[in-house]
Amino acid sequence: MAFSADELRVLRRALSTALHPTPLPDEDVQDCLRLAGAVDEAVGEAGRLRTFLLADLVRYRNALPGSVSGYLELLQDALAGGYDPRPDDLAALRALRHRPVAAALLERCQVLAERSVRARLAGRSAPSAAPAPRSRLLALPGGRAADAEPERPKTPAAPPRPAPPSERPAPKPSEVFPPRRPVPPPQQWAAG
């Protein structure tokens, strides 16, 4: 995630205020709220992108062996992003282990899968596929909430339920926007 110079200035002020609480002017509070909203939006977009990439990985895995190079590339990207390989991934890599890249990925995935199983058996939760939701920035010292009565603790909201799997997977961008094909010019007919 990259911040602009203005966002870094706001972040620096917010961190300074967190370390040394002082009343903030309304303008600074609004800047902090805008920055928090931008960060929330970026986190949400990253989650949506991750969901799309993992769905793409499943489509490529289902299209094996014809999509070997694309599948291996997507799997490497997913592993770099913290993806826990599934049993289907291990089975696909075992079938492709005659390829050097697939053999190396199989070794890596087996280590990651074993680590994940050990973590679950030990009672710890494995790394989650989606980032944990970040709590909203409700008030800063000296902001508008300082004049209001103290906020009562809210009951935690139920976590959103995952959407049921659709019968047809989401289309790839190349299916939605096919490449343009050149249109031949119309033939000229001469009357004779």
Side-chain angles (χ1 to χ4, degrees):
M1 181 179 301
F3 291 104
S4 71
D6 286 336
E7 289 171 332
L8 283 176
R9 180 182 49 78
V10 170
L11 185 59
R12 188 177 302 123
R13 279 195 326 245
L15 290 173
S16 174
T17 301
L19 292 173
H20 308 287
T22 58
L24 286 177
D26 284 345
E27 181 182 323
D28 288 351
V29 172
Q30 291 303 316
D31 288 344
C32 289
L33 291 174
R34 274 194 295 276
L35 179 62
V39 169
D40 286 342
E41 186 178 326
V43 168
E45 185 62 30
R48 284 189 293 276
L49 178 62
R50 181 175 172 79
T51 301
F52 174 79
L53 292 176
L54 293 180
D56 219 17
L57 179 67
V58 170
R59 277 194 293 276
Y60 273 78
R61 183 177 58 229
N62 291 339
L64 286 174
S67 63
V68 172
S69 61
Y71 172 70
L72 295 176
E73 184 179 320
L74 282 173
L75 183 59
Q76 286 175 336
D77 291 345
L79 291 173
Y83 173 70
D84 260 348
R86 308 285 188 257
D88 292 341
D89 295 313
L90 295 171
L93 289 171
R94 283 187 191 104
L96 300 170
R97 67 176 153 224
H98 62 279
R99 294 174 174 258
V101 174
L105 273 174
L106 177 60
E107 288 179 29
R108 183 176 172 197
C109 286
Q110 286 174 332
V111 169
L112 292 173
E114 183 178 335
R115 193 177 301 155
S116 176
V117 168
R118 286 180 191 256
R120 276 182 271 159
L121 289 176
R124 298 184 315 235
S125 63
S128 64
R134 189 174 69 78
S135 62
R136 297 287 304 157
L137 179 62
L138 298 176
L140 293 172
R144 290 184 183 166
D147 298 333
E149 63 183 65
E151 194 170 315
R152 294 184 187 129
K154 296 180 182 177
T155 58
R161 295 183 183 184
S166 62
E167 294 177 19
R168 183 175 183 274
K172 296 187 288 186
S174 62
E175 294 171 340
V176 176
F177 304 105
R180 291 186 165 214
R181 307 247 190 293
V183 178
Q187 295 180 349
Q188 299 288 332
W189 294 92

